Amino acid sequence: MSIQRTLSIIKPDATTRNLTGSINARFEQAGLKIVAQKRLQLAKAQAEKFYEVHKDKAFYNSLCEYMSSAPVVVQVLSGEDAIAKNRQIMGATNPANAEIGTIRRDFAQDIERNSVHGSDSEENAALEIAFFFSQLEIVE
């Protein structure tokens, strides 16, 4: 096992329902450490750039509109196998398929408004973290 960093985004559906603390508690209870965090309002152009990998998918425009509709909390999580651990804590993308006790099962409203985003690989984690944070903002 190795210490990794991963990006986590608490999405608009969760921030508008004041779930940031409840979601962060789940990360911390699972042994992940929040080493950088900020609340911000994404411009649509920023959301489009961040989700550019999905540009050719049918949900791209809707996702970008949604992610720029209200504040998000972006954060860097650190810990042993942080990427896999975070994805386990989040649950399946579709909350209907997520395991009981996961963030998406407990808090998501639907497949798009699923409360959280997390990096899916070490390579994407590095790119996604760099999109939102400088190294000076990450404090272990």
Side-chain angles (χ1 to χ4, degrees), residues 64-130:
C64 293
E65 286 284 338
Y66 161 62
M67 290 299 291
S68 59
S69 68
V72 297
V73 173
V74 294
Q75 53 197 10
V76 180
L77 306 177
S78 177
E80 269 190 31
D81 292 320
I83 295 165
K85 189 176 281 187
N86 182 38
R87 296 188 69 73
Q88 180 181 19
I89 295 163
M90 289 190 308
T93 302
N94 184 342
N97 299 332
E99 289 186 34
I100 293 171
T102 61
I103 292 169
R104 289 178 172 151
R105 178 66 175 253
D106 293 347
F107 299 128
Q109 295 176 311
D110 57 49
I111 194 166
E112 185 174 84
R113 288 162 178 74
N114 62 9
S115 300
V116 286
H117 164 90
S119 303
D120 63 1
S121 68
E122 285 189 68
E123 179 181 77
N124 284 340
L127 293 170
E128 291 178 351
I129 289 167

Side-chain angles (χ1 to χ4, degrees), residues 7 50 76 124-135 137-138:
L7 183 82
F50 183 77
V76 180
N124 284 340
L127 293 170
E128 291 178 351
I129 289 167
F131 187 90
F132 289 108
F133 296 96
S134 75
Q135 286 302 310
E137 296 174 294
I138 302 171

Side-chain angles (χ1 to χ4, degrees), residues 23-57:
I23 291 170
N24 281 343
R26 299 221 182 169
F27 296 139
E28 292 179 335
Q29 288 164 359
L32 294 173
K33 184 177 178 183
I34 300 168
V35 296
Q37 181 181 67
K38 54 186 158 186
R39 182 180 177 96
L40 50 89
Q41 175 79 44
L42 290 174
K44 187 169 182 213
Q46 288 173 303
E48 289 170 344
K49 178 91 171 136
F50 183 77
Y51 286 106
E52 196 169 46
V53 66
H54 300 301
K55 191 172 187 158
D56 296 330
K57 298 184 178 157

